[in-house]
Amino acid sequence: MRDRWTWARAALALSLGLSWLVNTRMAQAAGRPVPLVLSALFVPLLPAFVLARRRPWAGAALLALAWGLQLAVNAADPAHIDHSTVMPLLVLAAWTVARLFRREEEEAWDYCCALIGAMYFTAAVTKLRESGLAWADGRLLRVLVASEAVNTAGPLRGLRELFAASPWAARVGSVATLGIELGAVALVFRPTRRWGAAGLLAMHAMILALMGIDWQFFSLVVAAAAL
Amino acid sequence: MRLPSPTPLSARLALFLIYVAGSAFLGERLPFSRFSMFSQTQDRASVLNVLADGRPVDLRDLEGFRGGFLAADRSFLNPWLAQEFESYVRGSAAAQDGPVAVEARVCTCEAPPAGPVRTDCRTLWKGTARRRA
């Protein structure tokens, strides 16, 4: 049986591989340049990272390739950042650097969770910087859910229409989103880590149900933090 | 009994704060990012809505398009989405009518400060297609 850090690395590697594949497809569809040869090398190498428990150099080499890819894509199109790739990439980098400095796995994982928390906290800070407390008035959530309901058939359509029709539900959803993202600081502390991760997973479940956005890349990273 | 954490809390907190502060000051410079998805509040959003025989479908469930574009206001539609729709329909065109009536619309939803969300849909493309096997 594998230990929990192997599972955590597997979740991170899966998140990175999935997000890379999806973002590559989207970039191609939009006519943005993608280093295809490097991409083809990158994804099959990910399992090596999961198994590289005692070989941090193998993980480091893979990460160097991954960062090279990401920087090449960003250099070609600086206006576009694939956030879903940045998150697992950065967390895996923290893990690898900590292991290269001969830190215990538990300690390396502490740093990873601190980074995951920082990224969600940053997302909340950005919302407040760009929109202020008006972000929590629920109007954004209402139009996003209503526009998703237009494209929905079946029982979820009723749920989405009901939510979009209720200013109070949207306000509660918006405040909860901000609260959960700011509460991601809980991931820094071991006793509260699972609570913070549970809140973030609940938020992603709400986003999936109401807006149809399956950010499985982020959810996998958060699930890894909860392990 | 729980063993004491081998990682000083101050080190974890420092990493947390360095990332938050770095993102705030440096913006979208890897490895920093502000994660600005949906960060700007708005009271209007537009989506592409594809109907097959009157029911919403995923565009990629259809092929063999035959029809034409109508003059619809696309200014609110995500340019990437509009571009992908046009290239998909043109890349999977058919010479003959298909069995499914297809209508693609640009739907704009607007949330006033009070009252229900208003949805306005305008036809972008109309024609026929067939369902992908």
Side-chain angles (χ1 to χ4, degrees):
Chain A
M1 178 154 167
R2 299 276 173 196
D3 60 49
R4 65 184 171 122
W5 288 288
T6 303
W7 290 113
R9 285 200 307 278
L12 292 174
L14 186 61
S15 169
L16 186 55
L18 279 174
S19 70
W20 185 260
L21 288 173
V22 170
N23 286 321
T24 299
R25 191 202 140 270
M26 285 172 67
Q28 282 180 302
R32 288 191 280 114
V34 177
L36 273 180
V37 177
L38 288 177
S39 300
L41 277 173
F42 172 60
V43 174
L45 279 172
L46 279 172
F49 186 86
V50 179
L51 300 172
R53 183 180 179 187
R54 300 193 186 283
R55 296 177 193 83
W57 284 108
L62 177 66
L63 272 168
L65 174 62
W67 275 109
L69 273 168
Q70 191 60 39
L71 290 171
V73 170
N74 277 99
D77 187 2
H80 189 93
I81 290 258
D82 296 328
H83 298 92
S84 54
T85 309
V86 171
M87 183 181 276
L89 200 51
L90 190 55
V91 177
L92 282 173
W95 172 275
T96 304
V97 170
R99 293 293 286 155
L100 279 174
F101 282 91
R102 300 189 177 282
R103 301 293 173 191
E104 292 296 323
E105 287 179 302
E106 191 162 20
E107 187 177 354
W109 193 241
D110 281 338
Y111 290 119
C112 292
C113 289
L115 268 180
I116 296 168
M119 285 183 262
Y120 277 100
F121 190 87
T122 297
V125 169
T126 303
K127 288 179 179 74
L128 292 172
R129 269 173 69 125
E130 295 189 6
S131 300
L133 285 176
W135 195 91
D137 70 7
R139 287 170 78 187
L140 172 68
L141 208 49
R142 288 177 75 203
V143 290
L144 292 175
V145 174
S147 59
E148 188 56 35
V150 168
N151 278 322
T152 310
L156 268 182
R157 181 173 183 132
L159 172 73
R160 289 170 181 171
E161 285 176 341
L162 200 65
F163 185 91
S166 166
W168 279 106
R171 192 163 296 173
V172 168
S174 302
V175 170
T177 300
L178 271 181
I180 288 170
E181 286 187 340
L182 289 171
V185 69
L187 268 67
V188 177
F189 311 99
R190 283 188 187 176
T192 54
R193 187 171 293 163
R194 287 188 176 167
W195 289 104
L200 290 168
L201 286 173
M203 180 187 78
H204 280 301
M206 181 185 84
I207 292 172
L208 176 63
L210 294 175
M211 292 161 64
I213 302 174
D214 53 344
W215 271 330
Q216 68 270 47
F217 328 112
F218 294 140
S219 300
L220 276 165
V221 174
V222 175
L227 282 172
Chain B
M1 195 180 86
R2 199 177 177 87
L3 292 172
S5 164
T7 318
L9 180 60
S10 57
R12 282 181 266 161
L13 270 174
L15 184 63
F16 180 92
L17 291 173
I18 285 169
Y19 191 84
V20 173
S23 298
F25 288 110
L26 297 173
E28 304 302 311
R29 289 195 177 84
L30 289 176
F32 296 103
S33 171
R34 287 181 183 156
F35 293 90
S36 53
M37 303 89 88
F38 303 118
S39 59
Q40 289 183 342
T41 192
Q42 60 192 65
D43 54 12
R44 183 186 291 203
S46 291
V47 287
L48 182 69
N49 173 230
V50 181
L51 302 173
D53 289 334
R55 289 180 63 82
V57 290
D58 189 329
L59 177 65
R60 295 187 183 282
D61 291 339
L62 301 171
E63 62 182 354
F65 295 89
R66 183 176 156 85
F69 285 91
L70 304 173
D73 182 8
R74 303 178 206 178
S75 57
F76 292 111
L77 192 62
N78 179 336
W80 174 77
L81 205 58
Q83 188 186 346
E84 194 188 43
F85 173 75
E86 289 198 27
S87 67
Y88 186 77
V89 167
R90 293 212 163 99
S92 179
Q96 293 179 331
D97 282 344
V100 181
V102 177
E103 184 181 2
R105 310 184 301 173
V106 180
C107 291
T108 302
C109 300
E110 193 170 357
V117 174
R118 288 192 293 265
T119 302
D120 175 38
C121 294
R122 309 241 169 126
T123 304
L124 172 67
W125 187 94
K126 206 166 187 177
T128 63
R130 59 179 183 273
R131 291 186 194 277
R132 203 176 273 278

